């Protein structure tokens, strides 16, 4: 199975704001970014397209016109709890630093850990592998989910997640089915 991971386009949220699972809308550049993505996917046919239920992903999944998207909450971004829609600079530095040094196992207040997010994304992946063996699917999702799936495929600790920069409107492809899963490309 090939999984084509598509990160949502740019957002209508100020820089420096933690938005996680907040349901923020796409930026005014959406149509232009959509055109770029469509051009990248011109010759691709997917068996199914899945999407995070957050509007920034669902809008893109619908606009790509690769069939009716299946919304799946397991594809949502990390839940930042009490930090949602706060400026990163407004989060007390000592609290942020503690989280940043162990985000795999420490959650923001009333949020979730990266390990928890990765586990729900892996639950989706296991189900998709059963349903779509030998097929190619598209998944419109978030940077955190894409990083967590790459870390899984590369068998790397979550602590290294932010070594991968995942652009808005980018495509990453993973392949499963052989003894060793593979990263085909990142951030195309």
């Amino acid at each position: 199975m090939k999984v084509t991971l598509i990160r949502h386009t740019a957002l209508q949220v100020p820089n420096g704001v933690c938005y996680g699972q907040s349901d923020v809308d796409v930026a005014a550049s959406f149509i232009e970014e959509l055109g770029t993505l469509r051009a990248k996917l011109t010759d691709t046919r997917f068996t199914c397209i899945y999407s995070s239920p957050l509007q920034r992903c669902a809008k893109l999944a619908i606009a790509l016109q690769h069939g009716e998207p299946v919304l799946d909450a397991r594809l949502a971004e990390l839940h930042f709890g009490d930090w949602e829609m706060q400026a990163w600079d407004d989060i007390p530095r000592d609290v942020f630093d503690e989280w940043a040094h162990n985000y795999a196992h420490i959650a923001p207040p009333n949020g979730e850990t990266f390990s928890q997010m990765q586990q729900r994304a892996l639950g989706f992946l296991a189900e998709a592998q059963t349903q779509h063996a030998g097929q190619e699917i598209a998944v419109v999702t978030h940077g955190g989910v894409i990083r967590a799936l790459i870390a899984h495929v590369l068998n790397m600790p979550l602590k290294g997640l932010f070594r991968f920069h995942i652009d808005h409107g980018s495509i990453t492809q993973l392949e499963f089915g052989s003894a060793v899963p593979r990263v085909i490309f990142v951030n195309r």
Side-chain angles (χ1 to χ4, degrees):
M1 174 182 79
K2 282 187 181 174
V3 179
T4 299
L5 300 164
I6 303 164
R7 185 176 183 198
H8 61 79
T9 57
L11 302 175
Q12 188 176 12
V13 64
N15 286 335
V17 171
C18 174
Y19 51 86
Q21 285 191 15
S22 296
D23 204 12
V24 297
D25 203 356
V26 296
S29 58
F30 178 74
I31 297 300
E32 180 182 326
E33 292 176 84
L34 173 63
T36 301
L37 269 169
R38 280 185 176 155
K40 291 177 187 178
L41 298 169
T42 299
D43 298 326
T44 310
R45 293 280 170 239
F46 301 111
T47 303
C48 189
I49 185 165
Y50 291 90
S51 176
S52 160
L54 298 175
Q55 68 175 316
R56 59 192 183 258
C57 291
K59 279 184 175 182
L60 179 57
I62 291 166
L64 286 172
Q65 299 178 336
H66 282 272
E68 184 68 29
V70 177
L71 303 182
D72 193 313
R74 296 174 292 182
L75 298 172
E77 183 60 280
L78 183 79
H79 192 303
F80 282 97
D82 295 348
W83 296 354
E84 296 273 335
M85 298 310 294
Q86 284 193 46
W88 286 107
D89 290 342
D90 291 345
I91 298 167
R93 190 71 200 175
D94 59 328
V95 174
F96 176 82
D97 286 347
E98 182 181 356
W99 172 80
H101 285 96
N102 197 7
Y103 55 77
H105 304 291
I106 295 176
N110 298 307
E112 69 181 332
T113 68
F114 265 88
S115 294
Q116 291 169 320
M117 180 193 65
Q118 184 184 48
Q119 287 309 304
R120 65 177 157 78
L122 291 175
F124 163 81
L125 183 61
E127 188 176 299
Q129 286 178 285
T130 300
Q131 293 178 351
H132 301 290
Q135 300 173 348
E136 185 168 350
I137 65 169
V139 176
V140 181
T141 189
H142 309 270
V145 171
I146 294 169
R147 286 180 185 100
L149 292 175
I150 291 170
H152 169 71
V153 168
L154 296 178
N155 198 26
M156 65 181 274
L158 289 175
K159 184 63 179 164
L161 277 180
F162 290 100
R163 293 179 184 168
F164 293 104
H165 181 77
I166 307 296
D167 292 331
H168 289 111
S170 68
I171 301 171
T172 296
Q173 193 171 75
L174 309 177
E175 186 174 52
F176 302 89
S178 61
V180 177
R182 299 181 324 146
V183 175
I184 305 300
F185 57 82
V186 176
N187 224 25
R188 180 178 287 174

